[in-house]
Amino acid sequence: MVAIVSQIKQKISLEEFLLLPETKPYGEYLNYGEIREKAMPQGEHSTIQIELASFINQLGKSAKLVYALPELRCTFGGKSIVPDISVFEWQNLPKTDTGKIANKFMIYPDWVIEILSLEQSANQVINKIIFCLKQGTKLGWLIDSVDESVMIFYPNQLPDIKSGEEILPALDSIPHWQLSVKQMFDWLKI
């Protein structure tokens, strides 16, 4: 994406952006044609991402309640973003006419999870979560592995910060949810 981003001298439309080849690190189409490259995940980030998505799917996938997808491009509200984890309630999953999961997600996630990387701006990531909430997302998390905390976002509410043994909130559609901040960060110990 660096090569593509550096080649783009003028602002392009969302439609033009979506026609560009997908690259790693992923590019996100933001305000007024701004294209920002996502930070490449490192060890802690990748571990939390895969373990958390797996944990969510163990509770919600087989019962067809929710589905967590890592690094999924979601295009909505004039932007195209790639959250670290996008969680969709089952009835909101885009499907093809044959019942397969769609390749393109032109909707907002029901729950958006971002894992702060050291080289990321916290405000830019928070802005992305707030954008999702304004579009209809029900829950947002910002995971900070430096201080082992999670900032929780709900629409039209001030954020809250959870740490230690506090239980993290989930979508109401996931029954029997019990995950503390400490349990999540313990996944980093191998």
Side-chain angles (χ1 to χ4, degrees):
M1 182 57 76
V2 174
I4 291 173
V5 171
S6 65
Q7 290 174 10
I8 298 172
K9 304 278 190 244
Q10 58 190 10
K11 307 264 178 177
I12 63 172
S13 70
L14 176 58
E15 293 75 21
E16 292 169 319
F17 172 78
L18 293 172
L19 293 174
L20 294 173
E22 199 66 73
T23 60
K24 286 195 177 183
Y26 298 110
E28 295 182 303
Y29 185 90
L30 303 171
N31 300 324
Y32 311 108
E34 175 191 355
I35 299 170
R36 186 176 308 134
E37 193 175 277
K38 272 191 66 124
M40 284 299 290
Q42 296 183 8
E44 289 184 5
H45 182 288
S46 291
T47 300
I48 289 173
Q49 185 177 26
I50 193 68
E51 295 294 337
L52 184 55
S54 296
F55 183 83
I56 294 167
N57 285 335
Q58 285 173 357
L59 293 173
K61 187 178 170 198
S62 64
K64 295 186 176 185
L65 302 171
V66 298
Y67 195 36
L69 297 158
E71 302 292 335
L72 175 72
R73 178 168 303 286
C74 299
T75 303
F76 57 94
K79 296 184 183 186
S80 186
I81 61 172
V82 183
D84 292 324
I85 302 173
S86 300
V87 183
F88 294 87
E89 291 182 322
W90 203 264
Q91 69 272 11
N92 297 334
L93 280 168
K95 298 178 187 94
T96 66
D97 292 340
T98 61
K100 291 182 179 179
I101 193 162
N103 276 327
K104 296 189 181 207
F105 279 59
M106 307 301 278
I107 62 170
Y108 54 84
D110 293 299
W111 175 9
V112 64
I113 301 170
E114 291 288 348
I115 305 160
L116 192 62
S117 297
L118 294 176
E119 62 276 358
Q120 282 183 302
S121 159
N123 283 347
Q124 287 177 350
V125 179
I126 289 169
N127 189 39
K128 186 166 43 166
I129 294 170
I130 291 170
F131 166 74
C132 291
L133 294 170
K134 287 180 178 178
Q135 298 299 310
T137 296
K138 299 174 186 176
L139 177 63
W141 284 11
L142 176 59
I143 299 170
D144 186 340
S145 61
V146 172
D147 71 354
E148 296 193 358
S149 68
V150 181
M151 187 176 289
I152 309 299
F153 296 85
Y154 290 104
N156 304 313
Q157 291 184 20
L158 291 173
D160 188 22
I161 297 177
K162 303 280 186 190
S163 61
E165 296 294 338
E166 291 181 283
I167 300 298
L168 291 161
L171 292 172
D172 292 339
S173 54
I174 305 174
H176 313 298
W177 174 268
Q178 285 291 315
L179 178 66
S180 73
V181 177
K182 181 183 180 317
Q183 287 172 305
M184 183 179 67
F185 284 108
D186 281 348
W187 291 334
L188 297 175
K189 298 174 185 171
I190 55 172

